[in-house]
Amino acid sequence: MSAPLPDFVCDLNGELLPLSQARVSVLDRGFLLGDGVYEALPVYGRRLFRFDDHMARLSRNLDRLRIPAPHDVAGWEARVRRLVAAQPFEDQLIYLQVTRGVALREHAMLPDLTPTVFLMSTPLKPVPAEWRHHGAACVTAPDLRWSHGDIKSISLLGNVMARQVSVDAGAAETILLREGEPGGPWLTEGASSNVWIVQEGALLGPPPGPHVLPGIRVGLLRELCEEAGIAFNLRPICEADLRAADEVLLSSTGKEVLAVTRLDGEPVGHGALRGKPGPVYGRLYEAYQRAKAEQAA
């Protein structure tokens, strides 16, 4: 028997109702085909963080899938703020999903459907204190997902399978490496995170491309590096670079920025800081907390 759903208030097609009462048609293309996109937005003290960036990515992804945008930015903001106000908790994670709508099953992108829009808010859980203070353990795995990882699609079976690799290993995240090009395998991202390395004090991440989701925290970390005087560059990162890095970091809506201190059972880094969170992580984490306080609206 499945556990009962919490009765948080959600928004389904503009109606506020308890999560346990929300229903969609079995013919919804999100259910049948994974035909839709999503966003996950953090809320700190009931204040939205990087909202416009999330909405810009949502708009790009809707356009790529030829799903008509149900709202402009102001319309989305009104719906999100209404949902935030309906919750009893201060720090929230807003999940926003748009599918193409309801129709008899057909692979083609059927026109003139009414999109299904679902928004859910759950408490935003901080990362475990152990990870925050001592760093997290990660494992690597081949990146076997499809070649449109730059679309934030609800079709996440590849990510689910990748994340289970780290769950089975008792690790925090699975870091993905893609074969098939000379000089590789090449770092792409985590199952649910962007991945970074530090070399000689510089923060390095994989460049934009079809296998890497353009994470909202990529732009944010670029800004924080500029503020903190840390060199920042996006360029191809091979497996050897990853394993020889001075530091390895994760970033995501929930993790914010997080140090990886063990990779495939081996300590990350060198010398006295081997296996410990490094100085670039420390500076970026502090800068991230300042950004939350200053930029949330």
Side-chain angles (χ1 to χ4, degrees):
M1 180 180 296
S2 59
L5 292 173
D7 265 350
F8 302 142
V9 174
C10 68
D11 176 332
L12 180 60
N13 294 323
E15 179 185 0
L16 293 181
L17 71 167
L19 184 61
S20 59
Q21 296 178 20
R23 302 287 186 272
V24 296
S25 169
V26 294
L27 293 179
D28 190 277
R29 288 175 63 92
F31 176 70
L32 289 177
L33 300 168
D35 185 6
V37 297
Y38 76 100
E39 282 291 328
L41 303 85
V43 176
Y44 300 107
R46 300 188 184 273
R47 297 185 299 164
L48 311 183
F49 187 61
R50 309 292 287 201
F51 180 78
D52 288 348
D53 294 340
H54 282 280
M55 292 301 99
R57 184 171 64 183
L58 176 65
S59 178
R60 291 194 302 270
N61 286 325
L62 289 171
D63 285 346
R64 291 189 67 179
L65 294 190
R66 305 184 193 178
I67 296 175
H71 299 289
D72 59 13
V73 174
W76 282 123
E77 182 174 353
R79 281 183 79 161
V80 169
R81 289 192 183 279
R82 182 178 69 155
L83 183 62
V84 168
Q87 310 305 329
F89 32 89
E90 297 292 305
D91 293 347
Q92 304 178 29
L93 180 65
I94 303 294
Y95 177 84
L96 187 163
Q97 175 175 301
V98 183
T99 75
R100 197 176 305 277
V102 177
L104 290 175
R105 191 173 184 274
E106 164 62 58
H107 282 73
M109 293 181 175
L110 300 175
D112 303 323
L113 300 182
T114 300
T116 300
V117 180
F118 172 64
L119 292 88
M120 170 178 65
S121 176
T122 54
L124 182 60
K125 299 178 181 178
V127 301
E130 175 72 13
W131 296 359
R132 183 58 69 204
H133 295 300
H134 301 292
C138 292
V139 294
T140 59
D143 189 348
L144 303 177
R145 304 167 303 161
W146 72 324
S147 293
H148 284 294
D150 54 334
I151 298 176
K152 201 167 180 68
S153 164
I154 63 173
S155 306
L156 287 173
L157 182 58
N159 297 71
V160 169
M161 295 176 70
R163 178 65 181 98
Q164 193 60 38
V165 172
S166 49
V167 170
D168 291 343
E173 177 64 300
T174 307
I175 293 176
L176 300 174
L177 298 161
R178 185 168 286 263
E179 303 271 6
E181 296 182 19
W186 298 97
L187 172 66
T188 52
E189 55 190 5
S192 60
S193 314
N194 288 109
V195 183
W196 307 84
I197 68 169
V198 175
Q199 282 187 348
E200 298 180 353
L203 185 71
L204 308 176
H211 306 305
V212 178
L213 182 72
I216 302 302
R217 264 121 291 273
V218 174
L220 173 59
L221 287 181
R222 184 192 300 269
E223 295 173 17
L224 299 184
C225 281
E226 183 176 353
E227 172 191 321
I230 298 168
F232 176 97
N233 191 23
L234 301 181
R235 59 126 169 116
I237 297 170
C238 67
E239 181 177 9
D241 290 336
L242 172 68
R243 298 194 185 280
D246 299 323
E247 301 179 43
V248 177
L249 309 180
L250 305 176
S251 65
S252 70
T253 297
K255 298 180 186 73
E256 299 182 355
V257 59
L258 180 65
V260 176
T261 50
R262 296 192 69 83
L263 184 63
D264 292 331
E266 296 295 324
V268 172
H270 310 281
L273 291 175
R274 182 170 168 83
K276 299 178 181 179
V280 171
Y281 161 71
R283 290 158 67 191
L284 288 175
Y285 177 72
E286 291 177 1
Y288 201 112
Q289 304 316 302
R290 289 194 297 272
K292 285 164 53 177
E294 295 169 0
Q295 298 178 19

